[in-house]
């Protein structure tokens, strides 16, 4: 059998650590968003003057967008691979925060 040396990344981590690190980052993101998302309707109403119907429209649009991009991500993953697709989605999400 051929023994392959691990591909080392920064800080003594190997490529096998990547899925766990991504899961940990997602967990931290979910915990953080769980504490803030519940206050979005108050912010939309108080600061932006959006009506409750408008806030519900935003939530519907967000759910539809997530559904659409989930299907799109599956198709992209077939062409690029799962890890590059995850990284592409993460970088796109972070970049859109700057808007």
């Amino acid at each position: 059998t051929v023994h392959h040396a691990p591909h080392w990344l920064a800080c003594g981590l190997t490529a096998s650590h990547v899925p766990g690190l991504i899961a940990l980052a997602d967990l931290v993101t979910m915990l953080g968003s769980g504490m803030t998302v519940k206050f979005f309707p108050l912010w939309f109403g108080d600061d932006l003057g959006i009506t409750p119907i408008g806030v519900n429209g935003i939530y519907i649009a967000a759910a539809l967008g997530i559904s659409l991009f989930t299907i799109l991500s599956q198709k992209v993953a077939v062409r690029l691979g799962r890890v590059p697709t995850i990284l592409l989605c993460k970088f796109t999400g972070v970049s859109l925060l700057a808007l």
Side-chain angles (χ1 to χ4, degrees), residues 6-40:
H7 296 283
W8 294 99
L9 303 173
C11 303
L13 300 175
T14 64
S16 64
H17 292 103
V18 171
L21 290 172
I22 291 173
L24 179 64
D26 285 345
L27 177 66
V28 171
T29 301
M30 286 185 289
L31 291 173
S33 67
M35 293 186 290
T36 58
V37 169
K38 65 179 91 175
F39 296 106
F40 280 173

Side-chain angles (χ1 to χ4, degrees), residues 32-56:
S33 67
M35 293 186 290
T36 58
V37 169
K38 65 179 91 175
F39 296 106
F40 280 173
L42 291 174
W43 179 72
F44 285 140
D46 292 344
D47 289 356
L48 300 179
I50 298 175
T51 65
I53 292 173
V55 172
N56 283 324

